[in-house]
PDB file of all heavy atoms in Angstrom:
ATOM      1  N   TRP B 656     131.433 -57.268-191.765  1.00 88.00           N
ATOM      2  CA  TRP B 656     131.135 -55.861-192.047  1.00 88.00           C
ATOM      3  C   TRP B 656     129.655 -55.694-192.325  1.00 88.00           C
ATOM      4  O   TRP B 656     129.019 -54.773-191.788  1.00 88.00           O
ATOM      5  CB  TRP B 656     131.974 -55.381-193.238  1.00 88.00           C
ATOM      6  CG  TRP B 656     131.760 -53.948-193.566  1.00 88.00           C
ATOM      7  CD1 TRP B 656     131.095 -53.447-194.657  1.00 88.00           C
ATOM      8  CD2 TRP B 656     132.182 -52.839-192.794  1.00 88.00           C
ATOM      9  NE1 TRP B 656     131.084 -52.097-194.636  1.00 88.00           N
ATOM     10  CE2 TRP B 656     131.736 -51.693-193.499  1.00 88.00           C
ATOM     11  CE3 TRP B 656     132.904 -52.702-191.621  1.00 88.00           C
ATOM     12  CZ2 TRP B 656     131.995 -50.372-193.019  1.00 88.00           C
ATOM     13  CZ3 TRP B 656     133.157 -51.392-191.165  1.00 88.00           C
ATOM     14  CH2 TRP B 656     132.698 -50.273-191.872  1.00 88.00           C
ATOM     15  N   ALA B 657     129.121 -56.625-193.143  1.00 88.00           N
ATOM     16  CA  ALA B 657     127.701 -56.542-193.527  1.00 88.00           C
ATOM     17  C   ALA B 657     126.825 -56.611-192.272  1.00 88.00           C
ATOM     18  O   ALA B 657     125.868 -55.843-192.108  1.00 88.00           O
ATOM     19  CB  ALA B 657     127.314 -57.645-194.489  1.00 88.00           C
ATOM     20  N   SER B 658     127.212 -57.497-191.322  1.00 85.00           N
ATOM     21  CA  SER B 658     126.294 -57.616-190.171  1.00 85.00           C
ATOM     22  C   SER B 658     126.430 -56.403-189.262  1.00 85.00           C
ATOM     23  O   SER B 658     125.453 -56.047-188.562  1.00 85.00           O
ATOM     24  CB  SER B 658     126.581 -58.935-189.424  1.00 85.00           C
ATOM     25  OG  SER B 658     127.935 -58.992-189.098  1.00 85.00           O
ATOM     26  N   LEU B 659     127.596 -55.755-189.322  1.00 86.00           N
ATOM     27  CA  LEU B 659     127.749 -54.561-188.489  1.00 86.00           C
ATOM     28  C   LEU B 659     126.881 -53.449-189.103  1.00 86.00           C
ATOM     29  O   LEU B 659     126.235 -52.710-188.408  1.00 86.00           O
ATOM     30  CB  LEU B 659     129.208 -54.092-188.431  1.00 86.00           C
ATOM     31  CG  LEU B 659     130.137 -54.910-187.569  1.00 86.00           C
ATOM     32  CD1 LEU B 659     131.545 -54.345-187.603  1.00 86.00           C
ATOM     33  CD2 LEU B 659     129.636 -54.952-186.157  1.00 86.00           C
ATOM     34  N   VAL B 660     126.928 -53.383-190.446  1.00 87.00           N
ATOM     35  CA  VAL B 660     126.153 -52.305-191.140  1.00 87.00           C
ATOM     36  C   VAL B 660     124.669 -52.542-190.888  1.00 87.00           C
ATOM     37  O   VAL B 660     123.899 -51.605-190.777  1.00 87.00           O
ATOM     38  CB  VAL B 660     126.526 -52.301-192.649  1.00 87.00           C
ATOM     39  CG1 VAL B 660     125.603 -51.352-193.387  1.00 87.00           C
ATOM     40  CG2 VAL B 660     128.024 -51.873-192.800  1.00 87.00           C
ATOM     41  N   ARG B 661     124.261 -53.803-190.875  1.00 84.00           N
ATOM     42  CA  ARG B 661     122.828 -54.123-190.712  1.00 84.00           C
ATOM     43  C   ARG B 661     122.305 -53.473-189.398  1.00 84.00           C
ATOM     44  O   ARG B 661     121.230 -52.991-189.336  1.00 84.00           O
ATOM     45  CB  ARG B 661     122.631 -55.622-190.679  1.00 84.00           C
ATOM     46  CG  ARG B 661     121.195 -56.003-190.745  1.00 84.00           C
ATOM     47  CD  ARG B 661     121.048 -57.417-191.180  1.00 84.00           C
ATOM     48  NE  ARG B 661     121.921 -58.279-190.324  1.00 84.00           N
ATOM     49  CZ  ARG B 661     121.678 -59.526-190.082  1.00 84.00           C
ATOM     50  NH1 ARG B 661     120.613 -60.116-190.626  1.00 84.00           N
ATOM     51  NH2 ARG B 661     122.466 -60.218-189.371  1.00 84.00           N
ATOM     52  N   ARG B 662     123.127 -53.569-188.359  1.00 82.00           N
ATOM     53  CA  ARG B 662     122.695 -52.943-187.108  1.00 82.00           C
ATOM     54  C   ARG B 662     123.464 -51.669-186.872  1.00 82.00           C
ATOM     55  O   ARG B 662     124.305 -51.575-186.001  1.00 82.00           O
ATOM     56  CB  ARG B 662     122.947 -53.938-185.977  1.00 82.00           C
ATOM     57  CG  ARG B 662     121.971 -55.086-186.027  1.00 82.00           C
ATOM     58  CD  ARG B 662     122.224 -56.182-185.077  1.00 82.00           C
ATOM     59  NE  ARG B 662     121.127 -57.093-185.136  1.00 82.00           N
ATOM     60  CZ  ARG B 662     120.955 -58.033-186.089  1.00 82.00           C
ATOM     61  NH1 ARG B 662     121.877 -58.060-187.076  1.00 82.00           N
ATOM     62  NH2 ARG B 662     119.912 -58.794-186.076  1.00 82.00           N
ATOM     63  N   ARG B 663     123.141 -50.757-187.741  1.00 84.00           N
ATOM     64  CA  ARG B 663     123.959 -49.515-187.855  1.00 84.00           C
ATOM     65  C   ARG B 663     124.031 -48.761-186.499  1.00 84.00           C
ATOM     66  O   ARG B 663     125.099 -48.458-185.976  1.00 84.00           O
ATOM     67  CB  ARG B 663     123.389 -48.613-188.937  1.00 84.00           C
ATOM     68  CG  ARG B 663     124.452 -47.710-189.544  1.00 84.00           C
ATOM     69  CD  ARG B 663     123.888 -46.964-190.742  1.00 84.00           C
ATOM     70  NE  ARG B 663     123.537 -47.932-191.791  1.00 84.00           N
ATOM     71  CZ  ARG B 663     122.334 -48.009-192.350  1.00 84.00           C
ATOM     72  NH1 ARG B 663     121.357 -47.158-191.967  1.00 84.00           N
ATOM     73  NH2 ARG B 663     122.059 -48.838-193.275  1.00 84.00           N
ATOM     74  N   THR B 664     122.868 -48.483-185.988  1.00 82.00           N
ATOM     75  CA  THR B 664     122.809 -47.611-184.760  1.00 82.00           C
ATOM     76  C   THR B 664     123.689 -48.163-183.688  1.00 82.00           C
ATOM     77  O   THR B 664     124.531 -47.494-183.096  1.00 82.00           O
ATOM     78  CB  THR B 664     121.365 -47.591-184.216  1.00 82.00           C
ATOM     79  OG1 THR B 664     120.464 -47.512-185.300  1.00 82.00           O
ATOM     80  CG2 THR B 664     121.164 -46.447-183.254  1.00 82.00           C
ATOM     81  N   ARG B 665     123.463 -49.460-183.486  1.00 84.00           N
ATOM     82  CA  ARG B 665     124.216 -50.147-182.411  1.00 84.00           C
ATOM     83  C   ARG B 665     125.734 -50.059-182.674  1.00 84.00           C
ATOM     84  O   ARG B 665     126.483 -49.700-181.755  1.00 84.00           O
ATOM     85  CB  ARG B 665     123.787 -51.601-182.468  1.00 84.00           C
ATOM     86  CG  ARG B 665     123.996 -52.381-181.214  1.00 84.00           C
ATOM     87  CD  ARG B 665     123.695 -53.821-181.479  1.00 84.00           C
ATOM     88  NE  ARG B 665     122.251 -54.083-181.553  1.00 84.00           N
ATOM     89  CZ  ARG B 665     121.774 -55.262-181.883  1.00 84.00           C
ATOM     90  NH1 ARG B 665     122.574 -56.249-182.234  1.00 84.00           N
ATOM     91  NH2 ARG B 665     120.490 -55.466-181.874  1.00 84.00           N
ATOM     92  N   SER B 666     126.126 -50.333-183.890  1.00 89.00           N
ATOM     93  CA  SER B 666     127.571 -50.329-184.174  1.00 89.00           C
ATOM     94  C   SER B 666     128.136 -48.929-183.981  1.00 89.00           C
ATOM     95  O   SER B 666     129.243 -48.780-183.418  1.00 89.00           O
ATOM     96  CB  SER B 666     127.837 -50.739-185.628  1.00 89.00           C
ATOM     97  OG  SER B 666     127.195 -51.961-185.853  1.00 89.00           O
ATOM     98  N   ILE B 667     127.361 -47.959-184.457  1.00 89.00           N
ATOM     99  CA  ILE B 667     127.879 -46.592-184.329  1.00 89.00           C
ATOM    100  C   ILE B 667     128.026 -46.189-182.819  1.00 89.00           C
ATOM    101  O   ILE B 667     129.042 -45.624-182.459  1.00 89.00           O
ATOM    102  CB  ILE B 667     126.910 -45.589-185.051  1.00 89.00           C
ATOM    103  CG1 ILE B 667     127.089 -45.787-186.544  1.00 89.00           C
ATOM    104  CG2 ILE B 667     127.281 -44.131-184.693  1.00 89.00           C
ATOM    105  CD1 ILE B 667     126.135 -44.972-187.385  1.00 89.00           C
ATOM    106  N   VAL B 668     127.040 -46.613-182.038  1.00 87.00           N
ATOM    107  CA  VAL B 668     127.128 -46.261-180.657  1.00 87.00           C
ATOM    108  C   VAL B 668     128.366 -46.921-179.996  1.00 87.00           C
ATOM    109  O   VAL B 668     129.092 -46.273-179.243  1.00 87.00           O
ATOM    110  CB  VAL B 668     125.861 -46.638-179.876  1.00 87.00           C
ATOM    111  CG1 VAL B 668     126.020 -46.431-178.369  1.00 87.00           C
ATOM    112  CG2 VAL B 668     124.656 -45.863-180.385  1.00 87.00           C
ATOM    113  N   VAL B 669     128.610 -48.167-180.352  1.00 88.00           N
ATOM    114  CA  VAL B 669     129.807 -48.891-179.794  1.00 88.00           C
ATOM    115  C   VAL B 669     131.072 -48.186-180.258  1.00 88.00           C
ATOM    116  O   VAL B 669     131.963 -47.886-179.406  1.00 88.00           O
ATOM    117  CB  VAL B 669     129.788 -50.348-180.194  1.00 88.00           C
ATOM    118  CG1 VAL B 669     131.089 -50.982-179.706  1.00 88.00           C
ATOM    119  CG2 VAL B 669     128.620 -51.035-179.594  1.00 88.00           C
ATOM    120  N   VAL B 670     131.139 -47.869-181.536  1.00 91.00           N
ATOM    121  CA  VAL B 670     132.345 -47.190-182.028  1.00 91.00           C
ATOM    122  C   VAL B 670     132.520 -45.828-181.348  1.00 91.00           C
ATOM    123  O   VAL B 670     133.612 -45.491-180.904  1.00 91.00           O
ATOM    124  CB  VAL B 670     132.290 -46.997-183.544  1.00 91.00           C
ATOM    125  CG1 VAL B 670     133.319 -46.014-184.023  1.00 91.00           C
ATOM    126  CG2 VAL B 670     132.449 -48.308-184.224  1.00 91.00           C
TER     127      VAL B 670
END
Side-chain angles (χ1 to χ4, degrees):
Chain B
W656 182 253
S658 56
L659 286 181
V660 171
R661 190 164 49 154
R662 289 174 171 78
R663 206 172 298 125
T664 320
R665 201 187 284 173
S666 308
I667 289 174
V668 174
V669 174
V670 166

